[in-house]
Amino acid sequence: MKIQLSAAVSGLLFIAGAASAQSVVITPEQETVIREYVVTQEVHPVEIPSDVTIEVGSTLPETVELYALEVPEAEVTYQYVIVDDRTVLVEPQTRRIVHIIQ
């Protein structure tokens, strides 16, 4: 019984760890810094293909141009794009949406 419980707990910890590895936490302070940076860059909003949903976890196609987020004080290493007045943070290697700033 002890072995089964231990294995179950290990499995839950593995699942929780995998889930947390996919989520990105951007603090309100980081959002403010990012928002201020994006406003100064004058990046134009883009149209996303109709078959792409803008939500965390979705992947943007290669046809969508991403911009470097050069904000050391925000302590994030993502790229971004503006869609419908929202700043969409994207993981550069996978083009996966990791956070959306309203």
Side-chain angles (χ1 to χ4, degrees):
M1 183 71 156
K2 188 173 184 180
I3 293 173
Q4 290 176 336
L5 181 59
S6 167
V9 170
S10 294
L12 286 174
L13 289 175
F14 175 75
I15 291 168
S20 66
Q22 293 180 356
S23 57
V24 173
V25 177
I26 303 291
T27 66
E29 292 81 12
Q30 288 173 313
E31 275 196 14
T32 299
V33 170
I34 292 167
R35 199 176 289 115
E36 289 172 357
Y37 172 82
V38 169
V39 168
T40 65
Q41 299 307 298
E42 299 179 11
V43 170
H44 296 288
V46 298
E47 293 217 14
I48 300 296
S50 60
D51 62 333
V52 176
T53 305
I54 300 301
E55 61 185 25
V56 172
S58 295
T59 303
L60 296 179
E62 294 289 329
T63 56
V64 175
E65 183 178 0
L66 302 177
Y67 298 93
L69 185 60
E70 299 173 9
V71 187
E73 54 274 7
E75 300 174 358
V76 295
T77 56
Y78 301 112
Q79 292 181 320
Y80 73 98
V81 65
I82 306 297
V83 180
D84 298 328
D85 294 325
R86 298 177 291 171
T87 301
V88 179
L89 300 184
V90 179
E91 187 175 64
Q93 298 84 359
T94 63
R95 300 183 67 84
R96 184 178 65 90
I97 297 173
V98 295
H99 191 77
I100 299 171
I101 300 173
Q102 300 295 332

